[in-house]
Amino acid sequence: MTSPSTTLSLVDTDPAELAVDAIVIGLHSQTGEQDAAGGPAGALLLASGAESIAAAFDGKLTETLALLGATGAPGEVIKLATLGTVTAPVVAAVGLGPEPTGAAPAPETLRRAAGSAVRALAGARRVALSLPLPDDADAADALRAVAEGALLGGYRFVGYKTRPQPARREPVAEVLVAVPEAGDATARAEIERAHAVAGAVRLTRDWVNTAPNLQRPPVFADAVAEAARAAGLAVEVLDEAALAAGGYGGILAVGQGSEAPPRLVKLTYTPEGGGSGKRVALVGKGITFDTGGISIKPAQGMWEMKSDMGGAAAVGATMLAIAALKPSVTVTGYLPMAENMPSGTSYRPGDVITMYNGKKVEVLNTDAEGRMILGDAIARACEDGADYLFETSTLTGGQVISLGKRISGVMGTPELCERVRTAGDAVGEPAWPMPLPDEVRKGMDSDVADISQVNAGMDRAGHMLQGGVFLREFVADDVAWAHIDIAGPSYHSGEATGYWTKGGTGVPVRTLVHLVEDVAANG
């Protein structure tokens, strides 16, 4: 099931004269300065871009919004009937928080504001955004943020309801972004990029939100392969026979408990002329449903384990964005897929598995399945050749305990981890580097194999770090790598906020795209 699409374009018409169903303006929280309409100190402050709207209301707009309860808090949306004062029948003021001194709001503030406003205006067909955009070197970043926020805030998963939904709940179909010059080449390029990147995020959300009985490994692999071929990517799909012949012991072990066999999907983008000569590998965990296997999970909340393929979904969709953006660097995506089920054929605690790179792994917990399929995929990626390897996965509950639901954990080569953190800050997907201590690895020594899956002595202590330490065993010495644990940020179970809706978030697609573009530009 795919979400309804939202189109986005630029406009340089006076916002007060736009023929739209609603016009969105920015509103700062109380300040000691006069507002855009010349209101008194201490009043709400209209952001730049709202001047003509304020003039049409004879300077009473902030006063009216205050009477309606507006505070200017970030993400707050207050709607006001215009009664003919401007062309649009509705003005929606979205909170931007306090006005930054001498600068426009941060890109992430604009991204969340645009998402909140477009989501709040569901039921309107055509909406315009007249939010503050700087006229300096930061203009492109601000426009990118507004465009991405609008496209992602308008996302809604269609789902499987048999009754038609009320028209007032239909997402906004068309968004216009007010800019000084609609024909500006840089601005138009940002809109094209936003469509490609936000489209990849939306597709990731669709895949994550799909019911697990309708997206078992062979079906998921076919869906990714079909989309990738349509985008012009080279595609290789290894079925269970090819996996057995190739020695992918980790993927096979996890998948052997399910009647739906595992898969490994490889997607390759090659730039014209070979590009920079650098090679980037992206690896994503694709457990289409995780019961925990023999080490079964508690029933409470297990339904959210349909999202355990969020890493593979993100990598697959990122590859589609890369095909559209055409960076000058070779990128290959590896998506190992399996369903972790308890059955008479499931792998067991105590099993010893031979991985793709020949290492023997003692299984202590079948619910540590993600690292098993990722170990094989990482080893294959290194064998194929890569200068930089970024792997992402909903790997550990320890990530949520350590960093919460919004911040990803990053482990690996220190320099590359720092690049991930910087990229995350730039796109609004924060990540924080974590260590890989020697004592954690020592506790994963096995009496019967090269390494055990988990540190039995530490149990849940350093749980996130154990995942990173294990994956390091499968990275070639000459490959810079980063493991991005998205167990919390990839799925949002609370109420919609900013440009996040309930369900899959699409994290870390925008980070991965930024990283690939950074490698293409800077090596």
Side-chain angles (χ1 to χ4, degrees):
M1 305 291 287
T2 57
S3 61
S5 60
T6 300
T7 62
L8 190 144
S9 57
L10 299 173
V11 63
D12 50 19
T13 306
D14 181 348
E17 299 176 359
L18 286 171
V20 292
D21 299 315
I23 179 77
V24 177
I25 59 174
L27 184 67
H28 291 293
S29 50
Q30 289 192 347
T31 175
E33 302 294 332
Q34 287 190 331
D35 68 11
L44 295 169
L45 177 67
L46 291 174
S48 62
E51 291 83 1
S52 64
I53 306 295
F57 278 82
D58 294 327
K60 298 179 180 178
L61 183 52
T62 51
E63 178 184 346
T64 304
L65 290 169
L67 289 172
L68 292 173
T71 66
E76 172 191 80
V77 180
I78 301 294
K79 293 183 253 185
L80 171 66
T82 66
L83 303 178
T85 54
V86 297
T87 305
V90 173
V91 165
V94 61
L96 298 172
E99 183 184 34
T101 303
E108 180 64 6
T109 299
L110 292 172
R111 190 180 287 111
R112 294 189 187 189
S116 296
V118 170
R119 188 181 66 255
L121 290 167
R125 189 189 67 82
R126 198 166 188 246
V127 168
L129 305 180
S130 187
L131 294 172
L133 297 175
D135 56 3
D136 55 18
D138 296 326
D141 288 342
L143 178 57
R144 178 182 300 183
V146 169
E148 289 177 350
L151 291 170
L152 298 179
Y155 173 87
R156 178 170 65 82
F157 183 63
V158 174
Y160 308 98
K161 294 181 182 291
T162 56
R163 294 183 180 181
Q165 298 301 295
R168 62 182 174 80
R169 295 182 60 186
E170 287 299 312
V172 173
E174 183 180 3
V175 176
L176 307 179
V177 180
V179 294
E181 177 53 61
D184 179 74
T186 299
R188 292 172 67 88
E190 287 298 339
I191 295 303
E192 291 180 10
R193 185 187 188 282
H195 273 117
V197 175
V201 174
R202 290 168 66 105
L203 180 58
T204 302
R205 292 177 177 183
D206 282 345
W207 279 336
V208 170
N209 291 334
T210 298
N213 61 315
L214 302 178
Q215 189 165 251
R216 303 178 86 181
V219 176
F220 185 29
D222 288 346
V224 172
E226 180 181 0
R229 291 189 183 102
L233 297 171
V235 178
E236 178 186 1
V237 179
L238 302 184
D239 62 12
E240 64 272 31
L243 291 169
Y248 296 87
I251 299 174
L252 288 166
V254 175
Q256 71 189 38
S258 171
E259 64 179 4
R263 294 287 186 267
L264 175 62
V265 179
K266 178 183 174 183
L267 311 175
T268 303
Y269 162 79
T270 305
E272 292 186 12
S276 66
K278 294 296 183 181
R279 299 162 298 173
V280 176
L282 306 178
V283 181
K285 173 186 171 185
I287 298 295
T288 60
F289 193 79
D290 183 19
T291 66
I294 296 298
S295 308
I296 198 162
K297 294 177 179 290
Q300 182 63 34
M302 193 193 288
W303 52 83
E304 289 188 2
M305 288 300 98
K306 68 178 184 179
S307 69
D308 211 19
M309 36 63 71
V315 167
T318 296
M319 292 300 298
L320 302 182
I322 288 166
L325 297 173
K326 301 186 183 333
S328 60
V329 62
T330 298
V331 187
T332 306
Y334 298 83
L335 290 69
M337 302 175 181
E339 187 177 48
N340 190 24
M341 301 289 282
S343 75
T345 59
S346 296
Y347 80 133
R348 298 155 291 258
D351 284 359
V352 173
I353 306 299
T354 303
M355 304 290 284
Y356 182 76
N357 67 348
K359 287 194 176 182
K360 308 286 188 180
V361 174
E362 181 184 15
V363 175
L364 299 184
N365 185 338
T366 64
D367 194 24
E369 84 298 329
R371 63 198 68 182
M372 298 293 290
I373 68 171
L374 289 169
D376 277 352
I378 288 171
R380 168 66 190 274
C382 291
E383 179 183 84
D384 288 347
D387 298 294
Y388 304 95
L389 187 150
F390 300 98
E391 172 273 318
T392 187
S393 49
T394 52
L395 200 65
T396 65
Q399 179 274 315
V400 183
I401 299 301
S402 297
L403 297 172
K405 298 284 285 184
R406 196 98 195 192
I407 302 173
S408 302
V410 188
M411 289 141 275
T413 308
E415 183 271 338
L416 211 57
C417 289
E418 183 59 25
R419 288 177 80 166
V420 172
R421 187 195 65 78
T422 300
D425 286 346
V427 304
E429 294 180 341
W432 195 253
M434 303 293 287
L436 295 175
D438 291 340
E439 61 268 22
V440 173
R441 174 60 183 89
K442 188 176 188 307
M444 297 173 76
D445 286 342
S446 167
D447 292 336
V448 298
D450 297 316
I451 188 173
S452 61
Q453 274 178 312
V454 296
N455 187 321
M458 294 179 70
D459 191 25
R460 300 291 289 182
H463 188 219
M464 174 171 53
L465 311 184
Q466 292 179 45
V469 165
F470 182 88
L471 294 178
R472 182 176 58 186
E473 297 288 314
F474 302 90
V475 181
D477 292 339
D478 59 344
V479 176
W481 72 289
H483 156 56
I484 308 171
D485 194 332
I486 55 170
S490 71
Y491 193 84
H492 180 59
S493 56
E495 294 300 315
T497 177
Y499 51 88
W500 275 15
T501 53
K502 192 171 184 177
T505 65
V507 173
V509 167
R510 291 180 295 117
T511 298
L512 294 177
V513 171
H514 189 284
L515 287 165
V516 168
E517 291 181 326
D518 181 48
V519 170
N522 303 309

